[in-house]
Amino acid sequence: MKKILPFFSYAFHPIFIPLLGTVFYVLLDRNYFTFPHYLILFLQIIIITILLPVAFFFLLRTYGKIDSVMLSDISQRKIPLVLQLMLFIVLIQKSITFERFPSLYLFFAAGIISTVLAFLFLYLKIKASIHMIGISALTVFIIGLSIHNEINTINLVAFFIIMNGLVASSRLVMNAHSNTELMIGFFCGAIPQSILFYLWL
């Protein structure tokens, strides 16, 4: 089992969470856009939340600012978190606006709050689990979409609750976080999503 668990850290790496959130938004939300609209949406998400961060990762690695995609050292987390914050802000200002994609907009807005919290915890020498922030935020977002659109997604929600446990276990097995850091990460991801529910549920 210890050999299998690390897989979940990579499968649900935080860099994939924005794309997964967008996929479930398209599948579960009752917005009707044409295929070109969805294509542009996904291209923007992939470029801004995956390709650009990957490019910056290799740039930072080249200059010795980070040594691993898992960002195990506290000192290596500040620049990637600031970068994520900036990219999310650009995304909701220029692409995913509240007028066009209200629930998805608030998913990313809550993500900005979570990123700020994770950044602030660094100054308390607390390495909040970014993996748990991502997977818990995604889980709560899916629950919100289910409630908002009155869709029965009990199996999907159960699956992601299990994934929360497996991701947390994988981080422990990889000695990346303590139980406290995992819990802090979970709440940093789940609470902002829950608080913003009232704006779109």
Side-chain angles (χ1 to χ4, degrees):
M1 191 65 178
K2 288 185 177 181
K3 293 182 179 180
I4 298 174
L5 283 173
F7 164 79
F8 295 97
S9 283
Y10 292 96
F12 293 99
H13 190 279
I15 201 171
F16 299 129
I17 298 301
L19 179 60
L20 288 173
T22 305
V23 168
F24 287 110
Y25 167 78
V26 170
L27 293 176
L28 301 177
D29 205 71
R30 291 177 179 171
N31 279 327
Y32 300 98
F33 295 100
T34 62
F35 176 75
H37 282 102
Y38 284 127
L39 181 60
I40 292 172
L41 174 64
F42 279 109
L43 284 175
Q44 290 172 334
I45 295 295
I46 291 171
I47 291 171
I48 295 176
T49 68
I50 297 179
L51 297 183
L52 283 177
V54 168
F56 275 104
F57 165 76
F58 284 110
L59 180 64
L60 292 172
R61 190 170 185 177
T62 299
Y63 286 95
K65 298 297 183 181
I66 57 177
D67 55 20
S68 169
V69 70
M70 292 301 176
L71 302 175
S72 56
D73 190 88
I74 287 181
S75 63
Q76 297 179 2
R77 292 180 162 233
K78 292 180 180 179
I79 295 177
L81 284 173
V82 170
L83 173 63
Q84 177 176 296
L85 181 63
M86 293 171 61
L87 291 176
F88 277 14
I89 290 173
V90 168
L91 196 61
I92 66 173
Q93 284 186 338
K94 303 297 183 181
S95 303
I96 303 176
T97 61
F98 185 80
E99 292 74 21
R100 295 186 66 194
F101 310 102
S103 51
L104 189 60
Y105 171 92
L106 291 170
F107 171 66
F108 282 101
I112 289 173
I113 297 172
S114 297
T115 303
V116 171
L117 290 173
F119 184 80
L120 293 177
F121 271 116
L122 294 178
Y123 288 94
L124 299 176
K125 304 300 181 183
I126 297 175
K127 189 176 62 174
S129 173
I130 302 174
H131 278 76
M132 290 308 298
I133 290 175
I135 193 67
S136 65
L138 179 61
T139 304
V140 175
F141 181 57
I142 290 172
I143 293 172
L145 287 172
S146 304
I147 297 171
H148 179 64
N149 297 291
E150 299 179 349
I151 301 172
N152 183 359
T153 59
I154 186 66
N155 292 331
L156 181 63
V157 171
F159 170 79
F160 273 100
I161 289 174
I162 293 171
M163 290 304 103
N164 274 261
L166 290 174
V167 169
S169 298
S170 73
R171 304 309 288 155
L172 289 174
V173 166
M174 296 174 72
N175 296 316
H177 291 285
S178 65
N179 287 321
T180 301
E181 291 169 341
L182 291 172
M183 288 298 295
I184 291 173
F186 175 85
F187 288 117
C188 282
I191 291 176
Q193 294 289 335
S194 301
I195 290 174
L196 293 188
F197 266 5
Y198 80 95
L199 292 178
W200 61 282
L201 286 187

